[in-house]
Amino acid sequence: MLTTEKTKTNSSAARDGAPRKVPQQELAELIRRVVREQPVRDLHTHLYPPTFGTPFSGSARDRDASGLMLWGIDELLTYHYLVSEVYRVVTTRQLPYESFWRMTKREQADHIWKNLFLERSPISEACRGVLTTLERLGLDVESRDLDSYRRWFAEQDPSEHIDRVMQLGGVSRITMTNAVFDDNERRRWLDNARVGDDSRFAAVLRFDPLLRNWPSAAEQLAGWGYAVSDELNDKTVEQARQFVRDWIDRMRAIYCAVSLPPDWRYEGGDDQRLSSVVLRKIVLPVLAERDMPFAMMIGSKLRVNPGLRDGGDMVGLADVASVARLCADFPANRFLCTMLARENQHELAVAARKFGNLMIFGCWWFVNNPSLIDEITRMRVELLGTSFIPQHSDARVLDQLIYKWDHSRELIARVLVDKYGDIAASGWQPSEQEIRRDVQLLMHGNFENFLGAGAK
Ligand code: FIX
Ligand code: ZN
């Protein structure tokens, strides 16, 4: 219905102190700029500061072959996504997995560069990401001169490079994944209580085996001095809770996390599945006590092809109803959740409409591709407005922060241009201040607010 009453013009609105409304034609550019400028708090990565050691030390020289801080062009090229992709081109008949893994990192990178970049165009998302990163670092992509890129990285100091990459990626703080059951990771925390003391990074206690394989986890806890048996009696429960508390405190973890297989289920209060009992009696009571969220990343079938190592994991359809039951049964807990299957995304977004203690996040791993980020983000805005966390990087190599956030910012902005355009068409003219407020929530505030008082 057309209204006859003239709407307020910007000048009259400006006169009475209301925020300036953005004319439609300027809206798209403003939104893109705001999304580009808004620092993001990356809530899930596999990145580390130099204190965790680095196998490629650049100008710093102190290499650590089992170091956890991965960075530089050879790590970028040997990302497990690209190992999987190169084995589609050069099969195991031509190059058995063992032969590949016996190569040096440099030889593996040469193999991937030759087969995925030079002999075929690097148009997959993981290949394209390498090019975006090189270009944003100011290197000459057109030269295709891999050794020149190597020479440049060899001159960089790892810690200074972290600052550079965070600045280029617009990342305000990096959230680690600290897998306490990984011997290399655990040893570093036990050897050096200050290993996590880099303010650019926040720790996350990750303990998949507790839920994926309790008997094995119980055996390891016993070996670490906790009086636990694989029978979940009161003594075991209390000791396992103490294990979780001890590592939250040692790491100063901001949340705890697991990745769960697609067939993981939670059937409610009397569910006697080991993972459900461990959740109900050990994990969730400690997290409620500590006012800390619990992150569940659901849908990964591990090592369906062991020869590919980290690249050998697969996706499967998960059960959103189990997440909904958890949210209902544990109202004092807060749940971060992302799922790996595209087919789970709509139901998970609807579950988030039902439970305020559920915060869905990211386009994880196999749905972290432009076509699916667009589809999923669009659907989430339509169902949840600004009350979700659109993305995390899942970066494993420091430099990936640049491309993963470049690509995602562009896609998130594209969705927001349409959505603000839709409301502007009805006469609701968003101000720049309102757009900045909303984008800050999506990229930073929703995560920080969900963390609770204890962790920042
Ligand atoms: O469980 C996880 O944290 C997954 O993100 C990783 O295991 C996976 O290899 C990955 O890095 C995906 O992007
Ligand atoms: Zn991850």
Side-chain angles (χ1 to χ4, degrees):
M1 177 189 71
L2 282 180
T3 57
T4 49
E5 184 219 345
K6 240 172 113 40
T7 51
K8 270 189 173 180
T9 61
N10 271 328
S11 51
S12 60
R15 262 201 305 281
D16 65 21
R20 175 180 175 274
K21 302 299 183 188
V22 182
Q24 195 116 5
Q25 62 279 16
E26 294 172 23
L27 199 52
E29 185 34 47
L30 170 66
I31 292 163
R32 287 200 181 87
R33 180 158 47 82
V34 169
V35 174
R36 237 186 351 260
E37 291 170 355
Q38 172 57 48
V40 65
R41 178 131 192 219
D42 197 342
L43 85 87
H44 173 69
T45 79
H46 299 269
L47 301 179
Y48 293 87
T51 47
F52 284 82
T54 175
F56 167 67
S57 59
S59 64
R61 295 289 161 254
D62 53 350
R63 283 181 180 73
D64 170 349
S66 64
L68 294 171
M69 177 191 165
L70 304 182
W71 65 293
I73 184 63
D74 286 330
E75 292 293 353
L76 278 172
L77 288 171
T78 55
Y79 184 31
H80 69 69
Y81 290 31
L82 293 177
V83 175
S84 309
E85 290 177 33
V86 78
Y87 262 102
R88 296 208 44 72
V89 170
V90 179
T91 65
T92 50
R93 281 196 311 278
Q94 299 150 283
L95 180 67
Y97 292 130
E98 306 70 44
S99 308
F100 177 81
W101 295 116
R102 272 198 301 274
M103 288 178 178
T104 64
K105 182 69 75 175
R106 186 189 183 95
E107 289 164 341
Q108 292 172 6
D110 286 337
H111 174 70
I112 289 169
W113 182 253
K114 172 175 179 288
N115 288 288
L116 292 185
F117 288 75
L118 302 182
E119 294 186 0
R120 291 170 182 240
S121 298
I123 56 175
S124 77
E125 180 62 5
C127 284
R128 173 202 170 203
V130 175
L131 306 184
T132 301
T133 297
L134 293 173
E135 192 267 333
R136 291 287 315 283
L137 285 169
L139 299 175
D140 180 3
V141 174
E142 200 178 340
S143 74
R144 305 187 184 186
D145 180 353
L146 178 53
D147 285 337
S148 74
Y149 309 145
R150 282 173 170 145
R151 286 194 296 274
W152 183 83
F153 277 100
E155 293 160 6
Q156 308 313 314
D157 170 80
S159 187
E160 289 169 11
H161 194 55
I162 291 172
D163 291 331
R164 175 187 297 115
V165 168
M166 289 177 76
Q167 193 272 321
L168 287 172
V171 177
S172 60
R173 197 158 191 224
I174 299 170
T175 308
M176 297 186 274
T177 297
N178 305 100
V180 65
F181 285 89
D182 173 86
D183 294 340
N184 184 2
E185 169 100 39
R186 190 178 60 259
R187 177 175 57 77
R188 292 175 187 274
W189 286 97
L190 294 174
D191 289 353
N192 172 9
R194 298 181 56 88
V195 72
D197 285 5
D198 185 317
S199 62
R200 299 168 292 187
F201 292 79
V204 163
L205 175 56
R206 174 78 175 258
F207 44 56
D208 296 9
L210 278 188
L211 294 184
R212 281 183 182 251
N213 186 347
W214 167 253
S216 157
E219 208 174 306
Q220 287 186 274
L221 263 61
W224 297 333
Y226 293 91
V228 305
S229 69
D230 60 10
E231 189 205 336
L232 282 159
N233 56 39
D234 292 352
K235 176 77 176 164
T236 290
V237 166
E238 187 36 49
Q239 284 286 293
R241 287 184 183 182
Q242 194 52 48
F243 162 76
V244 175
R245 292 188 194 102
D246 289 350
W247 278 94
I248 286 174
D249 294 341
R250 179 172 285 117
M251 291 179 172
R252 292 198 300 285
I254 60 172
Y255 67 82
C256 291
V258 290
S259 102
L260 293 167
D263 58 359
W264 170 78
R265 294 290 182 274
Y266 173 74
E267 303 292 349
D270 55 359
D271 182 347
Q272 292 312 309
R273 250 170 281 246
L274 281 176
S275 68
S276 300
V277 177
V278 170
L279 258 181
R280 199 167 47 238
K281 292 190 172 181
I282 299 167
V283 172
L284 295 180
V286 171
L287 290 176
E289 166 196 303
R290 293 300 183 93
D291 184 32
M292 191 173 276
F294 181 49
M296 298 185 294
M297 305 174 72
I298 311 174
S300 55
K301 282 182 192 166
L302 302 181
R303 301 302 188 266
V304 296
N305 179 353
L308 288 172
R309 297 188 182 175
D310 282 342
D313 300 343
M314 175 68 182
V315 58
L317 193 63
D319 181 55
V320 177
S322 291
V323 174
R325 258 180 235 109
L326 270 183
C327 294
D329 287 2
F330 296 90
N333 285 89
R334 294 191 303 285
F335 299 90
L336 288 159
C337 185
T338 195
M339 287 190 171
L340 194 48
R342 176 192 189 190
E343 297 76 6
N344 280 132
Q345 302 305 327
H346 179 256
E347 189 182 356
L348 184 61
V350 173
R353 287 168 61 91
K354 305 306 156 197
F355 297 101
N357 59 337
L358 173 61
M359 178 66 79
I360 63 176
F361 73 92
C363 299
W364 182 27
W365 200 344
F366 300 118
V367 293
N368 192 8
N369 298 314
S371 57
L372 296 178
I373 294 170
D374 183 84
E375 173 188 284
I376 294 167
T377 306
R378 209 168 281 278
M379 174 194 55
R380 287 172 172 174
V381 170
E382 291 158 1
L383 283 170
L384 302 169
T386 57
S387 65
F388 68 101
I389 299 169
Q391 190 58 294
H392 67 279
S393 69
D394 226 324
R396 278 181 173 268
V397 181
L398 172 69
D399 311 84
Q400 292 173 335
L401 286 180
I402 297 171
Y403 88 80
K404 288 196 182 243
W405 284 110
D406 253 21
H407 295 179
S408 290
R409 286 176 193 274
E410 176 55 35
L411 293 155
I412 293 166
R414 199 180 298 171
V415 171
L416 293 179
V417 164
D418 289 348
K419 296 308 171 186
Y420 283 111
D422 290 346
I423 59 173
S426 306
W428 186 283
Q429 288 293 339
S431 70
E432 178 170 343
Q433 183 272 337
E434 289 167 333
I435 295 168
R436 286 190 180 280
R437 170 204 61 198
D438 300 343
V439 171
Q440 194 279 346
L441 282 172
L442 287 168
M443 306 289 275
H444 206 278
N446 285 347
F447 175 46
E448 285 220 330
N449 299 337
F450 206 68
L451 282 179
K456 281 298 165 211

